[in-house]
């Protein structure tokens, strides 16, 4: 595998970095404290072609490869996890699922405006009683003529108050357990839909996260994604793409931790020398560097498999698990290197540490990925070709 970057990817990184430095960095401590960011950011992301970075030009995107999405996520999370999370749900969990499983009509109606950044997509899987155990969900969808009637509730949904379209999962046949779950596209404007933000979050405070409520919500039957009963499979394949973006973002968070720590190591002196000269501080820097280098190799390997149209659940899970753990540790060490100053919002490291926690939980907790990896090695789990695969890159 060749992990050299093309000129186009180098330009994407440069543009994304400049965007983060100009549009996010100057405001992020305030946005984090206030609990929201300027919505004008969405238009700027769209104008740069970021909202559909790896969606084909045929469907309104920029037509870049899947590792370009990783580059974008790295650079955004160097600024703040809230922006990478937004891209994870909009592109990774929603748009890429439509690329993989959507009908031509669904792609034209939902994917195209999402790729252009005219509409925002999100993903509603988790419920109050169903997180890791997806099949414990209680939301139902009952077919009634040309419509489905959806009742239920989702929670911890990123962009709950912001997104226009949600990919929502519900039981069409509870008796069939995993095989009775189906996937639907739900528009915010549908009567019976409402949302409510969760307040008092530990991290990703600039981002919007919360609950969705569906009360006798009628949606057209044409908004069923895939076949009835394919929802669990669709959710898991969506997570292959979402987890990829989370892993790439974690690489960006480690980059941010390294940047801030190196600066501080040269600035701060104790016992007559810069703290970077103390070996125990060097150990923390070395661990961050190791985490950064190993994580990005795992991410680009998963991206390369996506480019080739191959299954990558195993490789993506490993990248997500390891990168998020490394990022969580890097943020803890970056905080430690800053001593008491890390404790104030004069420096971004406390925000990095708070932000680094959710990615260890969402899109498969650390424990779920640990189990998955053991199951692959032990031969209890295997990735087989799906009826619908993510389109290979270059796109036709
Ligand atoms: C900021 C944020 C944003 C989110 N955004 C979204 C979103 O956009 N869409 C969405 O659908 N969801 C979203 N989530 C929800 C997230 O995906 C879930 O929180 C996650 O799947 C874990 O579910 P849970 O919180 O219910 O934990 P639980 O599943 O209840 O787990 C609790 C603990 O038990 C452990 N555990 C569970 N089962 C096992 C097992 N079999 N073996 C060993 N240990 C186990 C877990 O690892 C964890 O430590 C978000 C969460 C957060 C924090």
């Amino acid at each position: 595998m060749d992990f050299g970057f093309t000129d186009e990817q180098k330009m994407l990184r440069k543009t994304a970095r400049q965007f983060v430095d100009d549009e996010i960095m100057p405001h992020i401590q305030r946005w984090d404290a206030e609990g929201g960011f300027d919505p004008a950011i969405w238009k700027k992301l769209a104008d740069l072609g970021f909202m559909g970075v790896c969606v084909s030009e045929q469907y309104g995107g920029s037509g870049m490869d899947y590792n370009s999405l990783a580059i974008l996520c790295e650079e955004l999370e160097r600024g703040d996890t809230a922006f990478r999370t937004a891209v994870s749900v909009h592109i990774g969990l929603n748009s890429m699922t439509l690329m993989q499983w959507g009908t031509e009509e669904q792609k034209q109606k939902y994917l195209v405006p999402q790729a252009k950044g005219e509409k925002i997509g999100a993903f509603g899987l988790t419920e109050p009683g169903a997180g890791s155990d997806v099949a414990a969900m209680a939301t139902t969808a009952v077919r009634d003529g040309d419509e489905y009637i959806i009742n239920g509730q989702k929670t911890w949904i990123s962009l709950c108050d912001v997104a226009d379209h949600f990919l929502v999962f519900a039981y069409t046949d509870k008796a069939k357990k995993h095989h009775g779950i189906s996937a639907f596209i739900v528009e915010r404007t549908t009567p019976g839909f409402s949302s409510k933000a969760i307040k008092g979050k530990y991290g990703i405070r600039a981002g919007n996260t919360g609950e969705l409520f569906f009360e006798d919500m009628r949606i057209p039957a044409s908004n069923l994604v895939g076949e009835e009963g394919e929802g669990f499979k669709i959710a898991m394949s969506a997570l292959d793409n979402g987890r990829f973006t989370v892993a790439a973002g974690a690489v960006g968070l480690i980059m941010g931790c390294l940047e801030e720590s190196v600066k501080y190591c040269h600035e701060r002196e104790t016992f007559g020398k810069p703290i970077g000269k103390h070996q125990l501080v060097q150990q923390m820097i070395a661990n961050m560097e190791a985490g950064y280098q190993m994580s990005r190799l795992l991410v680009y390997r998963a991206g390369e498999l996506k480019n080739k149209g191959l299954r990558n659940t195993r490789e993506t899970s490993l990248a997500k698990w390891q990168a998020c753990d490394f990022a969580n540790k890097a943020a803890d060490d970056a905080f430690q290197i800053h001593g008491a100053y890390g404790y104030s919002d004069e420096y971004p490291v406390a925000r990095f540490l708070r932000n680094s926690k959710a990615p260890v939980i969402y899109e498969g907790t650390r424990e779920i990925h640990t189990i998955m990896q053991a199951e692959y090695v032990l031969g209890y789990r295997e990735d087989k070709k799906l009826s619908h695969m993510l389109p290979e890159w270059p796109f036709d």
Side-chain angles (χ1 to χ4, degrees):
M1 287 182 197
D2 176 12
F3 293 135
F5 298 115
T6 62
D7 287 346
E8 210 183 2
Q9 287 174 326
K10 285 181 197 157
M11 183 53 75
L12 169 73
R13 187 182 293 283
K14 197 170 159 211
T15 309
R17 182 162 293 214
Q18 196 64 51
F19 171 81
V20 166
D21 286 343
D22 294 347
E23 306 288 347
I24 296 180
M25 296 299 204
H27 315 290
I28 188 57
Q29 295 288 48
R30 180 170 54 82
W31 287 340
D32 188 69
E34 289 173 359
F37 59 82
D38 182 354
I41 285 281
W42 291 110
K43 167 99 176 58
K44 292 177 184 169
L45 284 166
D47 288 347
L48 290 167
F50 291 166
M51 300 286 273
V53 63
C54 63
V55 178
S56 73
E57 286 166 300
Q58 183 195 354
Y59 293 114
S62 301
M64 296 186 76
D65 78 326
Y66 299 112
N67 273 330
S68 299
L69 172 63
I71 291 169
L72 175 64
C73 289
E74 279 177 32
E75 294 300 328
L76 288 179
E77 190 147 353
R78 177 179 155 267
D80 192 79
T81 307
F83 300 95
R84 195 274 308 148
T85 299
V87 162
S88 287
V89 300
H90 174 77
I91 301 180
L93 291 170
N94 190 315
S95 292
M96 288 172 79
T97 308
L98 295 180
M99 283 164 68
Q100 187 167 350
W101 296 90
T103 61
E104 187 54 31
E105 187 195 340
Q106 288 168 347
K107 287 178 190 163
Q108 292 299 338
K109 187 165 176 197
Y110 296 106
L111 176 60
V112 170
Q114 286 179 193
K116 290 181 178 170
E118 295 161 357
K119 298 283 180 189
I120 298 172
F123 183 81
L125 181 65
T126 306
E127 298 191 4
S132 309
D133 183 5
V134 170
M137 74 169 58
T139 298
T140 56
V142 177
R143 179 89 190 224
D144 182 30
D146 287 343
E147 294 178 323
Y148 282 93
I149 307 169
I150 303 188
N151 278 289
Q153 181 185 347
K154 300 285 170 183
T155 193
W156 290 107
I157 306 307
S158 303
L159 306 184
C160 69
D161 297 320
V162 177
D164 303 285
H165 311 147
F166 296 84
L167 205 55
V168 163
F169 298 84
Y171 268 113
T172 39
D173 187 349
K174 184 110 191 168
K176 289 189 182 158
K177 299 195 173 153
H178 292 82
H179 301 291
I181 296 171
S182 302
F184 301 93
I185 301 165
V186 169
E187 297 185 29
R188 164 177 301 283
T189 49
T190 315
F193 177 100
S194 59
S195 66
K196 184 167 172 257
I198 292 171
K199 299 287 177 203
K201 281 184 301 174
Y202 176 71
I204 319 188
R205 290 184 181 166
N208 166 245
T209 322
E211 297 169 287
L212 307 180
F213 303 94
F214 317 126
E215 272 183 80
D216 290 329
M217 186 178 67
R218 285 181 172 269
I219 60 160
S222 56
N223 280 20
L224 172 73
V225 180
E227 303 290 327
E228 264 196 25
E230 279 191 317
F232 184 79
K233 228 187 304 175
I234 294 172
M236 294 305 121
S237 76
L239 287 170
D240 284 347
N241 301 324
R243 287 167 179 169
F244 173 67
T245 62
V246 175
V251 172
L253 186 70
I254 306 173
M255 249 161 31
C257 291
L258 268 168
E259 222 172 272
E260 290 300 320
S261 300
V262 167
K263 230 189 302 170
Y264 198 72
C265 278
H266 294 319
E267 235 169 72
R268 180 76 175 170
E269 291 196 2
T270 65
F271 302 96
K273 52 185 172 186
I275 59 168
K277 296 278 183 187
H278 298 302
Q279 287 185 346
L280 289 177
V281 173
Q282 289 180 355
Q283 185 175 50
M284 290 189 269
I285 297 287
N287 284 339
M288 278 185 221
E289 174 67 6
Y292 169 66
Q293 296 294 349
M294 289 191 269
S295 302
R296 70 202 297 257
L297 287 176
L298 291 175
V299 169
Y300 295 141
R301 179 177 68 146
E304 195 56 27
L305 292 172
K306 288 180 198 296
N307 283 341
K308 290 184 174 145
L310 299 171
R311 281 298 303 265
N312 53 86
T313 305
R314 180 176 183 168
E315 293 78 8
T316 301
S317 155
L318 184 64
K320 193 272 179 190
W321 171 34
Q322 288 302 303
C324 293
D325 269 6
F326 277 130
N328 187 217
K329 179 74 174 88
D332 194 30
D333 284 346
F335 192 126
Q336 190 69 18
I337 285 172
H338 283 71
Y341 294 91
Y343 221 73
S344 89
D345 62 9
E346 191 187 337
Y347 293 91
V349 289
R351 177 170 53 84
F352 288 167
L353 182 58
R354 287 188 283 102
N355 284 351
S356 72
K357 191 62 200 169
V360 180
I361 292 167
Y362 59 42
E363 305 217 22
T365 64
R366 170 190 291 150
E367 292 70 34
I368 293 300
H369 288 293
T370 306
I371 291 166
M372 283 175 71
Q373 291 303 316
E375 286 180 350
Y376 280 117
V377 174
L378 290 163
Y380 304 154
R381 179 188 280 267
E382 164 185 25
D383 294 336
K384 298 200 185 103
K385 199 162 189 264
L386 294 168
S387 60
H388 295 68
M389 297 291 288
L390 188 67
E392 260 177 68
W393 188 87
F395 304 120
D396 291 334

